[in-house]
Structures are given as C-alpha cells and as structure tokens.
Amino acid sequence: MTFSRLLTLLSVVVAASAASMMLHERRTATPSGFIRVGAAPATEMITLRVALTSNNVAGLEEQLRSIVTPGSSNFRQWLSMDDVKTYAQPSAETVSVFNAFASANGLTPTVISPNGDWVSITLAVSKANTLFAAEFEHFMHPSLKRPITRTLSVSLPSELVGHVDVLHPTTSFVSPDVRLVPAIPHLDRRSEPAASCNSSDPFSVVTPTCLQDLYGIPTTPATETSNTLLVTGYVEQWAQKADLAQFLTLSRPDIPPSTTFTLLTTHNGTNPQGVDDPLKTIEANLDIQYTAGIATNVPLIFLSVGGLDFPTALLDTTMFLDGIANPPSVMTTSYEDPESSFGASMATKICNGYMALGARGISGGVHGNRDTLDVCDSPFDPAFPSTCPFVTSVGSTQGFAPEKAANFTGGGFSNVFPTPYYQTASVAGFLETIPGDFAGTFNKSGRGYPDVSTQGLNFELVNLGEVSNLGGGTSASSPTFASIIALINDRLVAAQKPVLGFLNPFLYSKASSAFTDVTIGHNSGFVCPASSEGFDAAVGWDPLTGFGTPRFPDLLAAAFD
Ligand SMILES: *[C@@H]1O[C@H](CO)[C@@H](O)[C@H](O)[C@H]1NC(C)=O
Ligand SMILES: *[C@@H]1O[C@H](CO)[C@@H](O)[C@H](O)[C@H]1NC(C)=O
Ligand SMILES: *[C@@H]1O[C@H](CO)[C@@H](O)[C@H](O)[C@H]1NC(C)=O
Ligand SMILES: *[C@@H]1O[C@H](CO)[C@@H](O)[C@H](O)[C@H]1NC(C)=O
C-alpha cells in the first residue's frame, strides 16, 4: 500500500525536477590525470563565470565571411570594437531573464566583459549544487599545487536554456601544465654568431638568420608603428629583457640590442625580471626572442595574463582585446591543451571570441604539439585552440633540404568544430591518401589542423643567460609564422592597404601556392615509439604541416594581389 504510493510520489517528484533542469554538459569519468579528492564543502564560496548567449553569432560569422571574400564590397573592412559588440552582446531579453533568475536566487551578477556577454556570480557550493544540479568536488592533478573545485555534470534551469552558453569552471579540466617546449636537455652551447641553416651541422641549429634565409624573410626594419604584434604569456611564463638583449646581440647584431617589447597585463598578470627558475621563462623567452628576432622593428607587445586556469586565461585575452580600440594586427599563442579537457561549450565560446578578434582584423596564430597532449596509444585527441577554425594553426618541420614534418608536430581533426568551408576541398584531398582502415580512428568531419608550418626544432635561444638549443616544439613555429604575417602587414599598412586579419580563407585560396609543400614525415611523437600511430605527410594539405612552409616573397605578392 504505502510502499507503492510512495514510489508513485517519488517518481512524480523526480519527473518534476527533471523537467525544470536541462543537462548542459557532462563527463562520464574523471579526466585522465585528475583524481577525486572528495566533495567540496557546502560552505565553500566559488565564483562562476556565466556566458550569456550572444545575440547574433551567426550574423558575425556571415559578416566575417563577406569581409574575407575577395571582390566583396567590404573586403578587409575590419570591424570596430563597437561593430563587434552589436553581434556579441546578449539580447535585452537574455539579460533580463538572467537577472530575474539571479535576483530570485539571491545572486548578484557582475558584468566582466566589454561586450557584456560574461557575468560572474559568487555563491556557496551548496547553492551551486542545487541551482545547477551539480556535485562540486575537489580534484587534484600532479601539476596542481592545490585541488580545484569542479563537477562532472552541470545542468541549467529550463528558463536559462538558450540564454546561457557556459558556466565556468564546472566541467572543464585543464591542467596548468600547458608549457610546450618538450623537456629535452640542452644539446650544445654556442658563442659564435650563427650562420644560415647548415645541413652539415649535426644539430641543425635554427636561428633568426637561418629562418630568414630559408623562407626569404627580409631583414629590413618595419616602418609602421601602428602595426603591432602581440605575444601571449600564460601560466606564469615571464619574458626576460636581459635574455632578449643577449639573444639579439648574438643573433641579430645588425639591429639595436635595446630592441624590446611593451608589457601589457590583464587579470593581475605580471612579468618579473631576474627570475631564477628557467622553467618559468623558457616559453616566454622563446616567443619573445623569435618575434623580436624575425619581425624586425615591428612594435612587440607581451601580454601577461594572470591566473593558472588556462581556459579562463584564453577568455581573459579575448576580453582584453575586445576592450581595445586599436588592437594588434597579429597575436601568437604557444600554449594548448587537449580539446576534450575544455569541453564543447567552453571551447566553442572561446573560439567565438577568436572569431570576433578575426573580424577586427587580428590574425591569431597558435601551435599544436603532439607529445605533450597524449599518451602514445591515443594519438588522436586534438589540441585546442588549434582546432578552432578562426585561428591559424602552425605545425613544425625539421631538416633543411628538404624540410620534413617534425615527429612531434600536432595535427588532426576536431571533435567539436566541423570542417570549415574554406578547407573542405583540402581536407577531402588528404582523406583520399589514407588507408581505409585508418579512417575510423579520427573524426573525418572535423576541422583539420594545422594550416601551415615552419621549422620547430633546435631553436637557439638565451634562457637566464645560458645560450642553448631547444629540443623542439611547435611553440617555436607559431611565433615564427606570426612574425612573417606581421612583416607583411607592415608592408600593407605602408601602402595604405588593410591588414590581413582572419587569415585562413586567404591561406586556403590565393596564398596556398606561396608555401613549399612538405611531403615527408610521420607524427608518431618525440618520445612515443616511432611505430606509434600518427598521420603521414602527403602531397598537398595534410594534418601535420598544412600547406607546408612559407615563401615570404610569394606570400607578400599574394597579400598585395
Ligand atoms: C656547418 O656545420 C659543420 C659541422 O658542424 C661545420 O664544420 C661548418 O663550419 C658549418 N658551416 C658553416 C657555414 O657554419
Ligand atoms: C587582482 O588582485 C587583487 C589584489 O590582490 C584582487 O583583489 C583581485 O581580485 C585580483 N583580480 C583578479 C582578476 O584575479
Ligand atoms: C565529430 O565532429 C563533429 C563536429 O564536426 C561532432 O559533432 C561529432 O560529435 C564528433 N564525433 C565524435 C565521435 O566526437
Ligand atoms: C623524433 O625526432 C627527434 C629529432 O630528430 C629525434 O631525436 C627523436 O629520437 C625522434 N623520436 C622518435 C621516437 O623517433
């Protein structure tokens, strides 16, 4: 009697609460590398960032497509900060729905982005668990100093569905260990100025001079002070001015060793000098030394983003630039993590942020490494932000005659972003080259990356006063390619033409013949056995080197065409 009545009642209660909550994002297991430490205390206060749905992402995407299409009436007429805001801001309805939800639940949202599409709320874990049908727990990872608070599942009350795109941090599990120079010991030390690329050198050391010779990059100084190149610095990587001066004296004796960068910071970023831990400087030093060393006289900005949560840092970067009227023309990012760690909603929101920057005329370049992402038996977990179709992903080559794909170069296909329109023919051409049984191991319908590549192994740099050669990393390739684009933009601005902005449609059309195709190589990984699964380089675009490596004069001609 009462037993069955009770059951009926219970099922009614469950059905009622299920109807009002809609599952937003869920993980079926704790991501690899993380361990559960226990439930987060009910009274712990957490701050959640809430992405309010932009009113017209589709409109922005359509507008951008028109801006990058040669012959369109608005070709390369990049949007202003306010133009972008009209698309990115939430509708009045979305704002009022969220504010009503917040006030009904005693929450005080704070707007944290220039476009009004992000707010933050601070609340107790017990309340967050109830409001979002979550179970916040503490998780540890070997690269973390203290546990992080996350949940494996998050839901939205039905009235917020369609008005909220992301709650962060909830189901994103990104370790702060996104530094991307593989930990290979110094190969040798040198005190002589480097010659051009020397195939007989057993280490095939790469220097600015070598890259200039190899790709035809001019050494003449840029002239346009309005055209700036921005290097992002995350997870407490700090660029050292003394190392840059020493590097320029060694590698670019033809330019003033006083050549330096401007520091900008956001989210309490810092850039202390005189650091004594080489692991805190190596990535930032590499990025700054190769941009200063190649993009001769292009004003250089180091943007240091504080905080150790990588998805938050990527968002903070896009928000920072959303609030700047005259943004840089190129931004380079040498950090990444598996796409799956971000989760689809966060990856999509960050990628839409890059779309908005592309529409403002900022070319965004990121790199993709392989070994830092995967264990050897799961080679096809793609890297983000490389998989975002609105950034240019740069892979790595090694050797000079001919160049071949470096074994550590990342590459593959997104599980979140579909193949974008500009690369469908290139991806289809590559898919024809692979054996049929291989095709099931990755997502053929995804955005393929990288788009292009440059040298990425044995870059000589100065780190805390020591001259050394890096083992390798596509994190060397992204600053190299970004510098080339910054130099081309300098020539465009000098000729009173618009900068290149969102690059990929240009790379996959007019510019594709400005690259030397790299057709040899297999990305089985630097440390994984050479027999590990990976892609093979092929004639034409491939997911190791994209179209191959740039020839500056041809790329410049295509940009002016
Ligand atoms: C190239 O490397 C070889 C082997 O280290 C060296 O003997 C030679 O001097 C180098 N050539 C130049 C032009 O630096
Ligand atoms: C920056 O630091 C100040 C002072 O420590 C702190 O109050 C503020 O919350 C920090 N801001 C961010 C975005 O972390
Ligand atoms: C493959 O990628 C598409 C996006 O292009 C995505 O919708 C789909 O879920 C992905 N499949 C898997 C198995 O991840
Ligand atoms: C990957 O390439 C590097 C550089 O040529 C080499 O030292 C390393 O042994 C290679 N790794 C494997 C597993 O073959």
Side-chain angles (χ1 to χ4, degrees):
M1 48 96 251
T2 45
F3 191 52
S4 78
R5 240 185 98 98
L6 184 62
L7 272 184
T8 313
L9 257 177
L10 264 180
S11 64
V12 168
V13 170
V14 169
S17 80
S20 67
M21 296 301 286
M22 302 285 284
L23 182 66
H24 182 62
E25 202 141 15
R26 177 173 53 177
R27 292 185 177 274
T28 49
T30 308
S32 98
F34 287 87
I35 49 164
R36 305 166 98 127
V37 185
T43 54
E44 180 183 318
M45 297 303 285
I46 53 175
T47 296
L48 293 179
R49 290 182 172 203
V50 182
L52 302 180
T53 305
S54 295
N55 78 87
N56 195 3
V57 172
L60 180 59
E61 188 166 358
E62 203 178 299
Q63 174 82 330
L64 178 56
R65 187 164 172 168
S66 165
I67 294 172
V68 297
T69 302
S72 69
S73 59
N74 55 352
F75 183 55
R76 289 192 185 146
Q77 298 304 302
W78 306 112
L79 302 183
S80 70
M81 204 163 101
D82 292 338
D83 291 338
V84 164
K85 184 170 181 175
T86 62
Y87 295 99
Q89 68 194 357
S91 68
E93 187 202 350
T94 290
V95 172
S96 92
V97 166
F98 187 75
N99 286 345
F101 164 83
S103 91
N105 291 289
L107 301 170
T108 314
T110 309
V111 177
I112 56 169
S113 69
N115 292 333
D117 55 341
W118 281 95
V119 297
S120 78
I121 49 175
T122 298
L123 70 177
V125 159
S126 54
K127 192 167 203 169
N129 284 342
T130 309
L131 290 180
F132 304 115
E135 276 181 60
F136 280 95
E137 297 176 72
H138 286 170
F139 294 87
M140 258 324 261
H141 184 278
S143 66
L144 290 168
K145 290 196 193 93
R146 62 187 77 87
I148 54 172
T149 304
R150 295 289 186 277
T151 170
L152 294 182
S153 173
V154 65
S155 296
L156 290 176
S158 55
E159 73 261 31
L160 294 185
V161 173
H163 297 293
V164 166
D165 289 340
V166 189
L167 286 172
H168 181 80
T170 53
T171 54
S172 273
F173 284 76
V174 179
S175 82
D177 194 14
V178 286
R179 195 173 305 125
L180 280 173
V181 183
I184 306 297
H186 299 171
L187 298 178
D188 74 350
R189 296 177 55 177
R190 215 176 41 73
S191 50
E192 318 282 301
S196 39
C197 305
N198 180 352
S199 304
S200 338
D201 170 355
F203 298 118
S204 300
V205 170
V206 173
T207 62
T209 309
C210 159
L211 294 166
Q212 284 156 344
D213 279 6
L214 195 60
Y215 302 137
I217 307 168
T219 58
T220 44
T223 55
E224 303 307 309
T225 52
S226 67
N227 172 55
T228 60
L229 166 56
L230 184 142
V231 173
T232 56
Y234 299 125
V235 293
E236 300 184 338
Q237 277 291 312
W238 296 313
Q240 303 298 295
K241 295 195 168 182
D243 288 340
L244 175 59
Q246 188 181 338
F247 176 78
L248 292 175
T249 304
L250 180 69
S251 307
R252 287 299 306 271
D254 57 321
I255 64 175
S258 57
T259 302
T260 189
F261 55 90
T262 303
L263 173 69
L264 294 178
T265 66
T266 185
H267 200 133
N268 289 345
T270 57
N271 193 40
Q273 301 297 296
V275 174
D276 62 5
D277 178 354
L279 291 179
K280 290 234 173 256
T281 54
I282 189 157
E283 182 63 67
N285 273 343
L286 169 67
D287 298 347
I288 280 293
Q289 289 172 20
Y290 275 81
T291 45
I294 299 172
T296 309
N297 210 37
V298 172
L300 193 59
I301 297 165
F302 182 66
L303 175 66
S304 177
V305 185
L308 288 175
D309 182 58
F310 183 48
T312 302
L314 293 177
L315 273 179
D316 284 335
T317 307
T318 60
M319 286 182 199
F320 178 79
L321 293 170
D322 284 339
I324 284 194
N326 297 302
S329 76
V330 184
M331 166 168 95
T332 174
T333 292
S334 289
Y335 305 77
E336 69 185 352
D337 219 49
E339 182 184 77
S340 57
S341 310
F342 287 79
S345 67
M346 189 59 168
T348 301
K349 181 67 188 172
I350 294 170
C351 185
N352 287 341
Y354 288 127
M355 185 211 302
L357 299 185
R360 303 235 0 244
I362 305 174
S363 303
V366 303
H367 77 123
N369 252 3
R370 181 196 147 129
D371 288 294
T372 39
L373 294 179
D374 310 309
V375 285
C376 298
D377 57 3
S378 70
F380 300 118
D381 195 356
F384 186 81
S386 270
T387 55
C388 170
F390 297 102
V391 299
T392 300
S393 170
V394 188
S396 287
T397 59
Q398 67 177 92
F400 306 127
E403 291 184 78
K404 55 183 188 176
N407 57 13
F408 56 82
T409 195
F413 296 84
S414 174
N415 289 317
V416 174
F417 304 99
T419 314
Y421 72 93
Y422 57 77
Q423 69 166 192
T424 47
S426 302
V427 167
F430 171 75
L431 292 177
E432 280 170 17
T433 71
I434 57 171
D437 59 341
F438 192 55
T441 57
F442 62 92
N443 195 333
K444 280 191 292 191
S445 68
R447 183 271 204 264
Y449 74 98
D451 302 300
V452 296
S453 50
T454 74
Q455 288 282 315
L457 189 68
N458 291 345
F459 274 47
E460 182 174 82
L461 87 164
V462 177
N463 198 30
L464 304 191
E466 296 262 319
V467 181
S468 64
N469 299 338
L470 284 178
T474 45
S475 48
S477 304
S478 183
T480 300
F481 189 68
S483 298
I484 289 173
I485 298 303
L487 288 174
I488 289 176
N489 282 338
D490 174 74
R491 276 51 172 182
L492 288 168
V493 174
Q496 296 182 337
K497 287 174 179 287
V499 296
L500 291 172
F502 172 41
L503 271 184
N504 294 359
F506 168 68
L507 296 176
Y508 282 79
S509 55
K510 203 177 275 179
S512 66
S513 56
F515 290 81
T516 302
D517 195 6
V518 175
T519 59
I520 323 167
H522 177 68
N523 67 343
S524 49
F526 200 99
V527 292
C528 296
S531 59
S532 304
E533 270 199 297
F535 292 105
D536 287 308
V539 173
W541 180 90
D542 56 60
L544 294 89
T545 61
F547 285 114
T549 56
R551 294 187 307 273
F552 186 94
D554 295 339
L555 203 51
L556 184 67
F560 269 85
D561 186 12

